[in-house]
Amino acid sequence: MLFDTHVHLNAEQFNDDLQEVIDRALDEGVTNMVVVGFDEATIKKAIELAEGYDFIYASVGWHPVDAIDMTQEHLDWLRELSSHPKVVALGEMGLDYYWDKSPKDIQKEVFRKQIRLAKEVNLPIIIHNRDATADIVEILKEENAGEVGGIMHCYSGSVETALECIDMNFYISLGGPVTFKNAKKPKEVAESIPMDRLLVETDCPYLTPHPYRGKRNEPAYVKLVAEQIAELKGLTLEEVAGETAKNAKKLFGIK
């Protein structure tokens, strides 16, 4: 009973064998997944997938790398989509200081607009963070994002910052990097964070867990993430799968 809270089955890497990928996930015990849209094309595909499979849900948002391309019409479209019965979150949104396509001030403005929209429509948010932790935490506080809460997606920061985010009503989601031998921080986070605030994800087709690192990631591999967390916490796979699935359903309002 695994819930992969962040997949990109809407990526072109899955164009040729999407159904086989979904079938493999079901075979490994993945009972739910959220397909995350982050621009016009991927949002449309996320909605299409959510409408096509009862166990797939969608999140819709605008990626910080492409913040410079976001228009008022896009924001209005996100507002419209937020009432779709299969849309369970807004995002991914946030800040990305690694790529320099969108200036930081524009990224921040688009991030704030999406947080305000989430509060307006009462949906949780999915946070993308790359090299921008301090600014993200500051904006979440200033915008009182804890009103809706959400997910620190593919979390790679410190235990201290994770606890700060939990205090703001956010869940900490761990992906493939927790399985990497040298990934000290994600392992510390997995050990330290209470079970009722943890989620699992793949972020497929990216960040493939060990032993498939370097190959395309897929939702079936979320089991490897859960197994690693179970080992670090001294729990069974079933306990980690059950608890993280329960957390995801609670956050997304899925009965």
Side-chain angles (χ1 to χ4, degrees):
M1 154 143 186
L2 289 153
F3 195 133
D4 190 341
T5 60
H6 200 113
V7 305
H8 293 293
L9 293 180
N10 45 358
E12 60 185 15
Q13 287 92 329
F14 296 111
N15 284 354
D16 295 336
D17 62 345
L18 179 64
Q19 189 56 54
E20 291 95 322
V21 168
I22 290 171
D23 291 343
R24 280 195 292 273
L26 296 173
D27 289 345
E28 289 296 339
V30 180
T31 53
N32 294 102
M33 46 188 118
V34 173
V35 178
V36 178
F38 54 83
D39 61 16
E40 207 167 322
T42 58
I43 288 168
K44 285 175 181 170
K45 183 74 175 170
I47 297 287
E48 187 185 307
L49 285 164
E51 288 175 344
Y53 296 88
D54 59 358
F55 52 88
I56 292 179
Y57 296 85
S59 177
V60 298
W62 213 263
H63 201 286
V65 169
D66 299 315
I68 198 163
D69 301 324
M70 188 182 178
T71 64
Q72 183 58 46
E73 286 73 25
H74 289 132
L75 194 67
D76 294 341
W77 183 45
L78 293 179
R79 180 181 288 104
E80 194 184 311
L81 290 175
S82 69
S83 61
H84 190 291
K86 295 298 288 288
V87 170
V88 293
L90 290 187
E92 58 191 285
M93 64 177 77
L95 302 173
D96 191 311
Y97 293 170
Y98 180 80
W99 301 106
D100 59 3
K101 179 186 168 185
S102 296
K104 290 180 182 179
D105 58 336
I106 292 176
Q107 289 192 38
K108 288 176 180 177
E109 184 189 345
V110 165
F111 185 22
R112 288 182 190 275
K113 282 179 178 175
Q114 291 184 88
I115 295 171
R116 289 168 192 168
L117 174 61
K119 287 162 67 178
E120 182 190 321
V121 301
N122 195 32
L123 282 177
I125 58 180
I126 297 177
I127 303 298
H128 171 97
N129 169 20
R130 194 156 185 196
D131 301 342
T133 303
D135 285 355
I136 280 180
V137 170
E138 183 183 4
I139 288 171
L140 291 175
K141 285 178 177 171
E142 286 175 0
E143 295 294 336
N144 200 16
E147 275 184 32
V148 288
I151 302 175
M152 306 309 288
H153 138 66
C154 221
Y155 185 78
S156 60
S158 68
V159 171
E160 292 73 25
T161 302
L163 294 170
E164 201 176 347
C165 293
I166 288 169
D167 284 344
M168 288 192 288
N169 194 25
F170 280 80
Y171 288 79
I172 305 301
S173 185
L174 296 173
V178 77
T179 69
F180 300 168
K181 285 188 175 64
N182 301 326
K184 190 166 167 246
K185 277 187 181 176
K187 291 186 195 304
E188 286 174 353
V189 167
E191 287 172 344
S192 307
I193 297 306
M195 234 9 268
D196 66 355
R197 280 284 154 177
L198 269 181
L199 299 170
V200 290
E201 63 168 273
T202 53
D203 195 24
C204 63
Y206 318 107
L207 296 173
T208 314
H210 177 78
Y212 301 108
R213 197 174 178 182
K215 298 191 171 88
R216 182 189 68 175
N217 200 2
E218 56 179 80
Y221 298 161
V222 77
K223 185 178 182 180
L224 298 167
V225 176
E227 282 173 345
Q228 179 67 75
I229 293 170
E231 188 182 315
L232 290 163
K233 282 193 164 302
L235 299 170
T236 64
L237 169 63
E238 289 71 27
E239 286 170 322
V240 170
E243 281 296 306
T244 53
K246 187 174 82 176
N247 295 342
K249 287 181 175 179
K250 181 182 175 186
L251 173 68
F252 294 132
I254 295 170
K255 298 287 185 287

